[in-house]
Amino acid sequence: MDRLDNYRQLIQQTLQEYAQMKPSNGDIQVYTVFDTGGDHYQIFHAGWDGYDRIFGALIHIDILGNKIWIQYDGTETGVANDLVSLGVPKEDIVLAYHSPFMRQFDGFAVS
């Protein structure tokens, strides 16, 4: 299995674990979106918590230029840490939610 296929599998495995965690409040569904052709991966929540509409991404990851770009991470533990624990080198993960200037200080890839 080549490196990118391995990354695709690890991302889907990691997101499936987060998808098992249903929000404790309200009637909120958890959806996974795996665009394997375009290398876009997402978990999002949709539903209602009382009178409040809940809709938005929990995690959004892309594979761009042979690196894993974490576009959004709404978890407490950090999906980047999960991927590192599965063997993905930090230099192959970009924390895209950090500004390009700040990435040089986060220990992960700059771009």
Side-chain angles (χ1 to χ4, degrees):
M1 179 181 305
D2 81 355
R3 186 170 55 98
L4 288 181
D5 284 339
N6 184 43
Y7 287 175
R8 290 178 184 109
Q9 183 178 16
L10 293 175
I11 290 167
Q12 291 178 51
Q13 172 188 328
T14 301
L15 295 189
Q16 288 288 4
E17 292 173 16
Y18 281 104
Q20 301 304 313
M21 300 176 198
K22 183 170 171 28
S24 58
N25 296 333
D27 181 20
I28 301 167
Q29 302 302 310
V30 180
Y31 296 92
T32 57
V33 179
F34 297 158
D35 172 12
T36 55
D39 278 329
H40 308 288
Y41 306 88
Q42 190 176 75
I43 293 179
F44 71 93
H45 292 163
W48 290 91
D49 184 10
Y51 294 106
D52 295 324
R53 176 71 175 156
I54 306 297
F55 185 86
L58 175 65
I59 302 169
H60 180 129
I61 297 173
D62 297 322
I63 297 177
L64 302 169
N66 296 323
K67 292 190 179 182
I68 297 171
W69 286 68
I70 301 175
Q71 304 287 0
Y72 182 79
D73 183 355
T75 68
E76 292 182 13
T77 58
V79 71
N81 295 324
D82 296 333
L83 293 170
V84 169
S85 71
L86 291 171
V88 178
K90 284 186 170 183
E91 59 267 19
D92 284 354
I93 299 173
V94 178
L95 303 181
Y97 51 87
H98 286 169
S99 71
F101 173 75
M102 292 302 293
R103 289 181 202 153
Q104 65 185 311
F105 305 113
D106 65 22
F108 289 87
V110 174
S111 64

